[in-house]
Structures are given as C-alpha cells and as structure tokens.
Amino acid sequence: MISLRADWILPITGPPIRDGFVAVDEDRIVAIDDRPPAGSVHLGRVAVLPALVNAHTHLELSYLHERVPASTSFNDWVVTLMALRRGFPDPAAADILAAAAQGVAQARASGTGLIGDISNTLVTVQILRDAGMAAHVFHELMGFNIADPGERVGQARARAQAAGLDERGVRVSLAPHAPYSVSPELFMAIRADVDAHPNTVSTVHLGESADEVELLRHGTGVTRAMLEKLGVWTDAWQVPGVSPVEYLANLGFLDSRVLVVHGVQCDGGDLGRLRAMGSTLVSCPRSNQHVGVGEPPLEAFYATGVSVAFGTDSLASVADLNMFAELAEARRIAPCVPARQLLQSATLTAAHALGFERDFGSIEKGKRAALIAVRVPAGVDDVEEYLVSGVEPGDISWLPDGSRSQLGVGS
C-alpha cells in the first residue's frame, strides 16, 4: 500500500481537501482523508484528482487532423469531411491505425483515463485495449433510406460481438449517428438492440446545427439537398415538425441510457425534456465552433439541471484531445457556472453516463486508482478555478507510479 500526500486532493464528490492524502493498494483506493499518516509520499504543490473522462470523440478520424478547415457552414464542413474519408477506403490502413493510436496516447498524456469513442468500423477497439485505455466504443450506424433496418442492426450486433466484450476495459454497443442520417425505423431497431442488452448505453448526435433543426421542422434546407444529392433521400420520410429532441423522444429512443451529444440548438423545453428523461448532454464546445454551429448554451444547460458531460469530438474538428483545454473553453463560454460543476462534468458525470461510475470519476474508497496529479503554481488559492483555466500535459502526471520523478517534487 502507498499513501500519497498533496497540497490538494479533489474527491469530486465534495470540496477539495487541503493537505490531504489518498491511500492506494494495488489498483484500488483504500482511503482518503485530511490527516496524512506518517510515511506518506509528499507530492508537494499538486492537485490530485481522478482521471478525466472524454465522453465523446472519434479516434478513427484522427488521421484527418488539420485536414478539414474550420467553416461557418456545418453542411460545407460535413461535405468536406465525407470527401476526405472517401479518399481512405480502407478503414484499417496503417495511417488510420497509427493516428488513432497516437490519439489515445495524446489523451492519456493529458490526463484522460476513460473515453467514449464513436466508431463506424470498430478498428479502435483493439487499439484502446492494447493501450490499456478504458472505453465505451459506440458502433455507429447510418441509413436514412434502407430496405431492412433489422438486418443492418443484426449485422452490426454480430460485429460488436466479434469485437469481444470486456466489462472492465473496452465495451461495445450500437448507436445511431443523427436524425438526418438515420431513418425512424433504424432508430427503433437500434433501440430494440439497446433494450436487449440492459447493461449497456447508446449515444446520438442531436441538435448540433440549425440545418438539422430546419430539416426536422420543415423538411427543407441544405441538409435535405445534401441527402438528395447523395441519393439517399426518400419521400416516404414524414417531416416530424418538431425539434430534434422532441422527435427522438416521440420515437421512444431517448432515456437515461442515451448520451445526447452537442445540443447546441436545444431550447429550454428541449433541456427540460432531457432532464426529465435522465439523458446526459455531452458538450463539445471547441468542435462546435470549428464546424460552424456556434457556441453551446452551456449556462442554460446547467441552469436547467440536465446532466452535463464533456467531449473533445475528433481531431478532425479540434486541435487536440486535451480535456483540460475543453474545460478552459467551457469556462470561457460559461463564466457563471462554478468550477466544481465543470470538473464534475468532466469526471463523475461522464463516467456515470458511460456506465463506468463504479471505477472512475471520483476519489472514493473501492474505486480504481486512476489518479492524476496536476502541478499548481505558487500563488494559486482557488485550485478548482485553476484546473478549468487550461492545463498542459507537461504539468500532468499519473499516480502512483513514478509520481515523484515525473513531478520533480520532494518527499
């Protein structure tokens, strides 16, 4: 057993503990308190907190880093992304796999210990396992106009089963992409698969752009034009005439086991509905601005009481996979939200949404010792506010192994 003492311990379930300690036996937390025992390893002026959770990214798109320019039009950004992906027809190409592996390494170096990954191909499952990164991989399906949704889901379920199930490490489930790329019948077939696997979760991109809202409310706009150009539009699709959230709620797809990603276009009614259903809203503020949909209404998210988590989205739309950078952007957009709430969103709330709350998200007895230490400069008194101001990987160390040598602190 090793006892680690630091200037701050952030349990997440409560306020920071000044001059506290956390004791670890093998890979489990066995104690946390404000009275360090004799013989504790003194880490010095650092904050110890649970590993961060990136609740939404696309590791298989890492090879597109800096290849998809920022845009003021979401539709234009999507068209560019699709064209670039068509240039890489082999999802297991060496460049794609190497970039995904580098993405995992980058996430870990910046303090992330659990990932919610979107994958069309499932090539990231083995990459995550090889890296020892805990994750829930969502096997994403599309199909706005397909003849047999049940067959599509059955084939996807077989691929998920073939990828293997690992309850402690990397889990796999099915997920729809978005309302503009998935038919109502396919949504319902995916929901049936989720219901058939009661211990799993799903996710969906929802309320991301104004174009999506226009399609669902009026059946018009650039998204419809894109679907027609791709040859996947069908006149059999009935315009729901409601918001994206209400549309999927009416289909019976949304509940507490579904992570709703983006929500930039959500109004108060949408947020109240998500809160009532227990859905977690995953915000990706840096990506939202890169792809041209604007800033998410973060302060409204929190004011409504909906559960909020954070994700970086993919390296095709963000500079890096550093969750501390995502928190800094969230702080800029939502200056009235307490830093403690932002930190909880990036740890415990996200871990719970992904189904990993027994092991990740907080410093509590019995949980996995997935702990990081962040160097805190002299003069910082509000450690929580400091942690949401932006932290670089060079100031982050994983504990307990190598803690003293990596941080350069005394005992």
Side-chain angles (χ1 to χ4, degrees):
M1 185 176 76
I2 182 171
S3 177
L4 303 170
R5 177 183 175 186
D7 278 15
W8 292 275
I9 305 289
L10 276 76
I12 300 300
T13 53
I17 300 173
R18 192 67 188 263
D19 192 24
F21 82 98
V22 56
V24 175
D25 190 10
E26 295 183 352
D27 69 339
R28 293 286 158 178
I29 297 167
V30 295
I32 175 174
D33 207 336
D34 60 355
R35 296 182 296 276
S40 296
V41 176
H42 191 191
L43 304 177
R45 196 173 179 81
V46 300
V48 175
L49 63 156
L52 301 189
V53 182
N54 187 341
H56 181 80
T57 189
H58 300 246
L59 291 167
E60 68 185 25
L61 299 184
S62 297
Y63 72 102
L64 295 176
H65 184 46
E66 296 185 337
R67 297 188 185 189
V68 192
S71 177
T72 57
S73 165
F74 180 66
N75 187 73
D76 290 349
W77 187 87
V78 170
V79 169
T80 302
L81 175 74
M82 291 169 59
L84 287 168
R85 293 196 77 178
R86 285 194 293 270
F88 290 81
D90 179 8
D95 288 352
I96 293 177
L97 299 182
Q102 290 169 6
V104 176
Q106 182 186 119
R108 182 169 178 82
S110 54
T112 293
L114 172 62
I115 288 176
D117 183 44
I118 308 294
S119 177
N120 302 119
T121 65
L122 295 183
V123 296
T124 57
V125 172
Q126 194 57 49
I127 291 171
L128 288 158
R129 286 188 176 134
D130 289 344
M133 174 68 78
H136 192 113
V137 176
F138 298 100
H139 186 15
E140 184 180 75
L141 304 183
M142 300 183 192
F144 193 78
N145 180 17
I146 57 175
D148 192 340
E151 181 182 10
R152 176 73 61 88
V153 168
Q155 292 171 347
R157 169 49 56 185
R159 289 191 294 271
Q161 294 293 131
L165 301 177
D166 178 1
E167 286 303 307
R168 280 200 65 194
V170 180
R171 307 171 187 174
V172 183
S173 67
L174 308 189
H177 174 245
Y180 55 84
S181 58
V182 175
S183 69
E185 295 79 14
L186 183 53
F187 267 115
M188 297 313 299
I190 294 171
R191 181 68 229 193
D193 181 84
V194 173
D195 290 339
H197 299 84
N199 293 323
T200 195
V201 295
S202 189
T203 189
V204 63
H205 300 79
L206 195 64
E208 185 173 9
S209 73
D211 300 333
E212 175 189 337
V213 174
E214 181 179 358
L215 177 71
L216 294 179
R217 286 199 178 277
H218 308 294
T220 58
V222 295
T223 299
R224 173 168 177 164
M226 178 180 68
L227 295 173
E228 291 175 337
K229 185 175 181 179
L230 292 171
V232 297
W233 176 262
T234 171
D235 289 332
W237 185 75
Q238 297 182 0
V239 180
V242 296
S243 74
V245 169
E246 188 173 355
Y247 172 53
L248 292 194
N250 290 343
L251 285 180
F253 182 77
L254 298 179
D255 66 4
S256 61
R257 294 167 59 200
V258 177
L259 287 73
V260 171
V261 181
H262 297 307
V264 179
Q265 311 302 323
C266 286
D267 60 19
D270 293 326
L271 296 174
R273 186 172 282 108
L274 291 175
R275 180 195 62 215
M277 292 185 295
S279 298
T280 297
L281 203 165
V282 183
S283 184
C284 308
R286 291 188 297 163
S287 174
N288 292 156
Q289 294 165 79
H290 184 91
V291 304
V293 299
E295 296 179 351
L298 277 177
E299 291 190 344
F301 292 175
Y302 284 96
T304 310
V306 66
S307 293
V308 180
F310 290 108
T312 59
D313 218 322
S314 79
L315 283 170
S317 62
V318 74
D320 54 51
L321 300 184
N322 183 353
M323 282 295 296
F324 282 106
E326 208 66 44
L327 282 170
E329 183 63 12
R331 160 49 79 237
R332 185 190 70 79
I333 294 171
C336 293
V337 176
R340 186 172 303 169
Q341 283 190 271
L342 297 176
L343 289 168
Q344 181 174 320
S345 289
T347 52
L348 187 56
T349 300
H352 187 273
L354 291 172
F356 280 80
E357 70 277 8
R358 291 186 178 180
D359 282 331
F360 290 91
S362 60
I363 303 180
E364 296 181 81
K365 185 177 179 179
K367 287 199 173 184
R368 191 183 302 186
L371 306 174
I372 58 173
V374 176
R375 192 195 313 269
V376 179
V380 171
D381 292 320
D382 189 337
V383 67
E384 292 172 313
E385 196 62 49
Y386 173 76
L387 291 171
V388 299
S389 68
V391 175
E392 295 298 321
D395 288 327
I396 301 167
S397 178
W398 282 85
L399 301 176
D401 295 335
S403 55
R404 291 169 61 190
S405 61
Q406 291 181 44
L407 287 167
V409 295
S411 59

